[in-house]
């Protein structure tokens, strides 16, 4: 549709004496003009012929038009069945409502939010080199604490060298090898001076 002529003075867009054309794209298959494709509405048991875009059939906090945009199921409050409602995933936790484990750490988004209080968008919430899922299900360490047993060694370090990250008395042992003692007066690329 033609909005009109700007005239002889520049407007906020910097145009002088030109016409502006506004084009509004719509769906090819949307008889009720509610912004949702009719076949999508039919598939998800919504009303074709009635503007039901503002409705929230599953009470998950997302309107039907938001569910259409996110490709979630407007009849299921938790499309990916991970224990978090779709609205909370998109609005609060910034997780993917179509993936049960957004960060791929082995714990569902719902487990991370409701049980372990870990970050469902970070596979290693405490940055100890063990995924949250491995800490909870394999090593039984605290996924929110880098050094579960407070012995000065991160859980990931202990696991990598075979000590128990749950027992303070189980310390990492240096592997057998040749050690060099020396000095290096600055951080640089040389090996320093051997003593």
């Amino acid at each position: 549709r033609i909005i009109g002529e700007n005239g002889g003075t520049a407007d906020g867009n910097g145009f002088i004496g030109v016409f502006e054309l506004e084009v509004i794209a719509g769906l090819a298959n949307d008889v009720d003009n509610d912004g949702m494709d009719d076949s999508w509405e039919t598939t998800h048991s919504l009303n074709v012929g009635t503007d039901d875009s503002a409705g929230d059939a599953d009470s998950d906090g997302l309107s039907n038009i938001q569910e259409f945009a996110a490709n979630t199921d407007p009849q299921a409050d938790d499309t990916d069945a991970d224990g978090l409602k779709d609205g909370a995933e998109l609005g609060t936790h910034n997780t993917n409502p179509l993936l049960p484990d957004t960060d791929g750490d082995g714990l569902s988004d719902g487990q991370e939010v409701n049980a372990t209080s870990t970050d469902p968008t970070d596979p290693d919430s405490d940055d100890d080199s063990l995924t949250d899922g491995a800490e909870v299900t394999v090593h039984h360490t605290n996924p929110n604490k880098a050094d579960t047993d407070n012995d000065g060694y991160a859980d990931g370090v202990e696991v990598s060298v075979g000590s128990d990250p749950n027992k303070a008395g189980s310390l990492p042992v240096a592997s057998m090898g040749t050690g060099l003692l020396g000095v290096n007066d600055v951080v640089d690329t040389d090996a320093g001076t051997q003593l």
Side-chain angles (χ1 to χ4, degrees):
R1 101 186 129 115
I2 300 294
I3 294 174
E5 191 172 337
N6 284 334
T9 59
D11 66 1
N13 297 322
F15 293 112
I16 299 176
V18 296
F19 285 91
E20 293 180 11
L21 176 66
E22 180 181 355
V23 178
I24 300 174
L27 298 171
N29 188 24
D30 183 16
V31 297
D32 52 15
N33 292 317
D34 61 2
M36 299 178 291
D37 185 79
D38 293 341
S39 62
W40 186 85
E41 287 191 78
T42 301
T43 299
H44 293 94
S45 303
L46 297 177
N47 297 318
V48 174
T50 302
D51 182 353
D52 52 356
S53 60
D56 183 5
D58 57 9
S59 301
D60 64 357
L62 294 179
S63 66
N64 294 333
I65 190 75
Q66 289 172 311
E67 301 250 20
F68 175 73
N71 199 30
T72 52
D73 185 345
Q75 301 296 341
D77 64 355
D78 182 7
T79 299
D80 58 10
D82 64 357
L84 293 178
K85 290 187 176 186
D86 295 341
E89 291 215 50
L90 290 175
T92 304
H93 305 292
N94 297 316
T95 52
N96 186 333
L98 301 174
L99 290 175
D101 181 7
T102 297
D103 59 12
D105 64 359
L107 296 176
S108 73
D109 296 340
Q111 284 176 297
E112 296 212 51
V113 169
N114 300 318
T116 62
S117 298
T118 50
D119 183 347
T121 62
D122 182 352
D124 183 7
S125 295
D126 59 7
D127 296 322
D128 64 356
S129 300
L130 296 176
T131 65
D132 296 340
E135 292 211 54
V136 171
T137 62
V138 177
H139 306 292
H140 308 288
T141 53
N142 185 338
N144 291 304
K145 188 175 180 185
D147 180 10
T148 297
D149 59 9
N150 293 317
D151 63 0
Y153 297 95
D155 296 343
V157 170
E158 292 204 56
V159 168
S160 71
V161 297
S163 65
D164 187 342
N166 289 299
K167 294 181 182 174
S170 176
L171 300 175
V173 178
S175 60
M176 297 301 290
T178 303
L180 297 175
L181 181 60
V183 293
N184 196 355
D185 53 349
V186 294
V187 177
D188 56 20
T189 58
D190 69 31
T193 304
Q194 204 169 340
L195 296 175

